[in-house]
Amino acid sequence: MNEDSIVRVRFAPSPTGYLHLGGLRTALFNYLYARSKRGKFVLRIEDTDRSRLVKGALANLLEIFAWLGIDFDEGPHIGGDFAPYVQSERLDIYRKYADELIMQGNAYRCFCAKERLDEVREGQIAGGKPPMYDRLCRDIPAEESRSRAENEKFVVRLKMPLEGEIKFKDGVRGYISFDAGGIDDQVLLKSDGYPTYHLANVVDDHLMKISDVIRGEEWVPSTPKHIHLYRCLRWEPPRFHHLPLLLNPDRSKLSKRQGDAGVEDYRAKGFLPEALINYSALLGWHPSDDREFFSREDLIREFSLERVTKAGAVFDVDKLTWLNRRHLNAMSDVDFLVRAKDNIPASMDFSSDAGKRALKSIREGLERFSDIPEKMKPFTWNWEGEIPADVRERLDSETAQEVYRVILERRNEIEKWDTDAFKGLMKAAGKAAGVKGKDLWMAVRAATTGSLQGPELTLMADYWGKERFFGHIAKAVEFDER
Ligand code: GLU
């Protein structure tokens, strides 16, 4: 493959209806590489395993990529010069190459029934040998094979060399070599006429002119089979780059079993796409400095495959949360309000100066959008629902009730409501009621927010305005009379 040739990469998921974090990382590295090299990024759906089909999977996938802001140049949704991009629509192509491989003598029909294969397998396992096909059908003469194929079910298997070494250069790991004799005669075409992953993947990567295959490390053992296929078909293989495994903090492989592993899960929890992208980029790629905060544009500028590392990358949700906070912080107020709108109660108004200050306090230290309703509760509380016991106790206490009464008496003395007026009112009320410090402020906090914790009271009082503030205090007096 010519180093200067145009970069064409692909993301080739099977349509499971779910984007695993590992899938996002693979897609992202392909995307960043394509964008940084002004190449093309192709989406190809590898749906030849009919038992794993999930309805609506493609639509889900496209929706999640749109949310992430990762776009493709070719794919089933936009077409392209190498359409169709869904493998189940390309069956004739794979069959043609399977036939060609049989004709050349590089592949053969295997007529073994499942029962026989199971038996062979069990025997090998019992004998402590690695299970693989015993190649019974490998040497059936061509004529006999053709005639049996007319009445019998068969699969097509790749004839792997019985000895020698298969070697390839991996962009991340350097040269990797395999003993060809230890590699199974891989099924290429199943009895239902569908290709396996291996055949379809190689044929499509070639026909779609893919220059670089960037995928997870779990595909390393498949690569010698692919290399052998390229050789048999006399095609030049693409460059391979295998990305390090994603690990849980206990260094087990990141999987759904240990909690959330899907982009959708993190989206539902209120994480931002830019934080997920930023964090995923760091899973196996090291920038030239120790920087960690990246916008998409920075990543496109800085990304290079040379800086992909070999060691497994641990997925650390605390770090993702930290990056999410930083991306939230970097957003303008306008962006924040537009993007967080589903999490903001319609009654909140941030247009006044007091509103802007309230917004600032809500944004402070915020980790995710989904934390906003909780942070806004004290601002919007309305005497509805159950009041916690410690708050009831506070509202009921004699000192608090005295504070409420004197505050209400002063209502008409206040002309202009602002933070100074509120502070003055608190001071005067405390004096008249003979209550100071915590008892005074907690009494008012309980009456206005239904809680004993929350943002600064002065800030909230300013946001509420005079009517709402005194309305709350009047309710607190009534509370005593219940
Ligand atoms: N269809 C494979 C997958 O599900 C693609 C692997 C590859 O990139 O070759 O991940």
Side-chain angles (χ1 to χ4, degrees):
M1 176 73 46
N2 180 350
E3 292 286 327
D4 302 325
S5 63
I6 172 138
V7 163
R8 290 181 52 84
V9 291
R10 67 351 182 234
F11 179 53
S14 35
T16 55
Y18 172 84
L19 184 60
H20 187 274
L21 290 168
L24 166 59
R25 199 268 312 258
T26 300
L28 178 66
F29 280 34
N30 277 284
Y31 165 82
L32 293 176
Y33 186 57
R35 296 290 169 260
S36 68
K37 295 280 180 193
R38 297 180 193 284
K40 299 281 184 228
F41 182 34
V42 177
L43 174 65
R44 182 173 76 222
I45 301 299
E46 303 210 327
D47 61 344
T48 58
D49 185 349
R50 307 308 282 171
S51 62
R52 285 176 61 202
L53 286 194
V54 177
K55 237 178 129 203
L58 175 60
N60 272 349
L61 196 72
L62 291 173
E63 204 274 324
I64 198 98
F65 276 116
W67 177 74
L68 287 163
I70 292 182
D71 58 328
F72 297 91
D73 301 303
E74 297 166 28
H77 55 311
I78 40 179
D81 289 349
F82 303 93
Y85 292 93
V86 176
Q87 289 188 328
S88 59
E89 293 166 21
R90 303 170 60 82
L91 299 183
D92 291 347
I93 303 175
Y94 311 125
R95 258 179 240 144
K96 181 182 130 202
Y97 287 107
D99 286 345
E100 191 176 319
L101 287 160
I102 295 176
M103 296 257 289
Q104 298 166 341
N106 284 319
Y108 59 95
R109 296 185 192 87
C110 166
F111 300 93
C112 293
K114 186 179 174 301
E115 294 69 35
R116 172 169 194 279
L117 296 175
D118 288 346
E119 228 170 81
V120 170
R121 203 185 149 77
E122 277 159 28
Q124 287 164 332
I125 292 174
K129 291 201 195 117
M132 64 196 276
Y133 178 55
D134 64 356
R135 298 177 164 142
L136 181 75
C137 298
R138 184 165 160 133
D139 298 314
I140 297 177
E143 197 41 56
E144 181 187 335
S145 166
R146 233 189 330 266
S147 70
R148 279 179 70 177
E150 279 167 25
N151 315 307
E152 284 179 57
K153 271 184 129 182
F154 64 89
V155 299
V156 177
R157 287 184 186 271
L158 179 62
K159 236 185 221 181
M160 286 304 293
L162 298 176
E163 52 187 28
E165 133 183 289
I166 297 183
K167 195 165 157 186
F168 70 94
K169 185 172 176 218
D170 186 277
V172 179
R173 305 161 178 266
Y175 282 100
I176 307 183
S177 82
F178 290 83
D179 166 20
I183 301 173
D184 211 351
D185 279 356
Q186 182 65 53
V187 173
L188 297 177
L189 201 70
K190 294 175 277 186
S191 57
D192 61 2
Y194 277 82
T196 57
Y197 153 73
H198 304 279
L199 177 65
N201 189 270
V202 164
V203 167
D204 285 348
D205 281 347
H206 172 74
L207 295 181
M208 295 179 181
K209 295 194 170 16
I210 297 302
S211 63
D212 295 79
V213 167
I214 305 169
R215 62 185 173 194
E217 188 187 313
E218 62 274 23
W219 299 102
V220 167
S222 298
T223 310
K225 299 175 188 175
H226 299 178
I227 298 278
H228 184 63
L229 263 173
Y230 281 105
R231 263 188 218 152
C232 295
L233 292 163
R234 293 188 186 77
W235 293 340
E236 192 171 347
R239 293 180 288 255
F240 291 98
H241 314 264
H242 288 96
L243 308 175
L245 287 180
L246 293 193
L247 307 172
N248 288 304
D250 67 2
R251 303 200 73 81
S252 59
K253 201 174 155 196
L254 187 71
S255 71
K256 222 181 158 180
R257 258 170 292 128
Q258 285 213 11
D260 297 322
V263 174
E264 292 85 344
D265 301 322
Y266 289 90
R267 178 184 183 179
K269 285 184 190 168
F271 285 94
L272 298 169
E274 52 266 54
L276 278 162
I277 286 181
N278 186 164
Y279 185 56
S280 302
L282 301 176
L283 294 171
W285 171 73
H286 259 281
S288 48
D289 47 19
D290 281 334
R291 215 169 123 202
E292 296 187 293
F293 181 78
F294 287 92
S295 68
R296 176 194 317 270
E297 292 70 31
D298 293 342
L299 286 172
I300 292 173
R301 218 179 2 256
E302 308 258 330
F303 184 81
S304 77
L305 283 174
E306 286 79 45
R307 302 199 67 85
V308 173
T309 53
K310 276 189 253 183
V314 174
F315 186 85
D316 173 3
V317 77
D318 291 339
K319 186 137 174 212
L320 168 63
T321 307
W322 173 77
L323 276 172
N324 203 65
R325 198 164 59 210
R326 292 205 47 190
H327 282 278
L328 271 177
N329 246 319
M331 229 177 252
S332 71
D333 275 353
V334 174
D335 269 358
F336 180 88
L337 289 176
V338 169
R339 293 180 58 184
K341 68 176 185 315
D342 292 344
N343 294 285
I344 299 178
S347 60
M348 292 292 288
D349 176 6
F350 300 110
S351 50
S352 65
D353 283 348
K356 290 195 180 93
R357 284 191 288 272
L359 178 62
K360 185 160 176 265
S361 94
I362 287 161
R363 289 191 58 171
E364 231 154 50
L366 190 73
E367 289 188 342
R368 332 177 205 164
F369 282 151
S370 52
D371 297 337
I372 297 174
E374 194 56 38
K375 280 197 105 170
M376 284 198 180
K377 252 191 199 157
F379 282 92
T380 54
W381 178 73
N382 229 346
W383 291 89
E384 278 155 13
E386 191 61 34
I387 298 175
D390 55 348
V391 178
R392 298 180 78 91
E393 206 175 296
R394 195 53 84 160
L395 291 166
D396 260 339
S397 73
E398 250 173 63
T399 30
Q401 286 298 325
E402 185 55 23
V403 169
Y404 304 148
R405 270 190 292 277
V406 299
I407 287 182
L408 283 184
E409 277 166 21
R410 283 173 163 69
R411 180 179 188 139
N412 294 332
E413 290 168 19
I414 296 174
E415 279 165 23
K416 184 168 172 286
W417 184 257
D418 56 19
T419 51
D420 284 343
F422 172 72
K423 284 186 196 156
L425 172 67
M426 288 295 280
K427 204 163 166 195
K431 211 162 171 195
V435 184
K436 278 200 288 200
K438 191 176 164 207
D439 280 340
L440 172 68
W441 287 85
M442 279 297 178
V444 175
R445 183 179 285 283
T448 51
T449 69
S451 165
L452 299 181
Q453 296 99 37
E456 200 194 318
L457 205 49
T458 309
L459 180 111
M460 289 192 287
D462 190 25
Y463 172 80
W464 290 319
K466 184 175 168 185
E467 286 314 305
R468 186 177 169 105
F469 176 77
F470 279 101
H472 274 317
I473 303 294
K475 279 265 176 68
V477 172
E478 283 165 29
F479 184 84
D480 188 39
E481 291 156 5
R482 276 187 213 171

